[in-house]
Amino acid sequence: MSIFKNPDLYPTPPILAIKMLIKVKHWGKIKIILEPSSGMVDLVESIKDKCRHNNVDISAIEIDTHCADMLRGKGINVIDSDFLQYNGLEQFDLIVANFPFSDGDKHLHKAIDILFSGEIVCILNAETIKNPYSNSRKDLVAKLNKFGAQIEYIKNAFSNAERK
């Protein structure tokens, strides 16, 4: 499948995945991880590599059937197909995500809503935070401020990526 058929799919460059996983504060407490918009498996592979010596369950959600099949082929538990419609009962300790660029605010809202206790480390299009033109984005910025979220803007994060 060509990544260019999906305008929201930007595979996570390995160096960016490493930067994300370094942000996780409590690896010792993490038993269940969710990658809710897995795409081309890049980020899940980095998570698996990081957790290879720990007893951690990794689950994924992926809307694209081809990508979901790739995940299953790599031994990843795919628990649903549409993160925004997901209503499972699992309680995750960590959500790691490279959300779709066009509606990352909705995806991060959902991640915040389903995480009872734990951490979220994600990639969002910077404009989602810098340009809160919609009520959804305004509400997200307010939530992030309320929770004391650490936000880092990384210039050229995708400059050497498969998709710029």
Side-chain angles (χ1 to χ4, degrees):
M1 175 186 91
S2 169
I3 63 171
F4 299 106
K5 289 183 181 179
N6 181 344
D8 279 329
L9 181 60
Y10 287 80
T12 309
I15 193 74
L16 191 53
I18 291 167
K19 284 181 81 85
M20 292 174 71
L21 297 175
I22 287 171
K23 298 283 184 190
V24 176
K25 295 177 185 164
H26 303 288
W27 278 110
K29 296 180 181 180
I30 294 171
K31 300 295 178 210
I32 303 173
I33 300 173
L34 174 65
E35 211 290 44
S37 43
S38 300
M40 301 291 292
V41 190
D42 303 85
L43 187 51
V44 169
E45 286 293 332
S46 294
I47 295 167
K48 276 178 61 176
D49 187 49
K50 174 71 176 168
C51 298
R52 70 182 175 275
H53 299 299
N54 302 8
N55 186 21
V56 174
D57 291 326
I58 303 169
S59 294
I61 297 175
E62 178 50 48
I63 200 163
D64 182 281
T65 55
H66 176 74
C67 292
D69 289 342
M70 286 175 32
L71 288 160
R72 288 184 191 98
K74 300 243 180 201
I76 300 297
N77 179 33
V78 178
I79 60 173
D80 208 331
S81 61
D82 186 345
F83 181 55
L84 295 177
Q85 299 300 315
Y86 173 74
N87 59 8
L89 300 176
E90 291 87 357
Q91 291 190 8
F92 304 102
D93 302 309
L94 175 64
I95 297 175
V96 181
N98 177 354
F99 291 125
F101 275 29
S102 68
D103 59 359
D105 58 325
K106 293 179 184 104
H107 283 78
L108 184 50
H109 273 296
K110 179 71 174 191
I112 292 168
D113 289 346
I114 70 167
L115 190 70
F116 296 103
S117 169
E119 300 178 61
I120 299 170
V121 178
C122 70
I123 299 171
L124 284 178
N125 180 338
E127 289 302 307
T128 302
I129 304 298
K130 289 182 175 181
N131 184 10
Y133 65 85
S134 68
N135 288 336
S136 176
R137 286 183 177 190
K138 288 174 187 170
D139 183 45
L140 180 61
V141 169
K143 278 184 183 178
L144 295 175
N145 288 331
K146 174 185 169 188
F147 294 129
Q150 294 180 349
I151 299 171
E152 179 181 356
Y153 296 101
I154 303 171
K155 290 187 178 205
N156 303 315
F158 286 81
S159 61
N160 293 320
E162 185 175 357
R163 185 175 201 180
K164 311 289 183 253

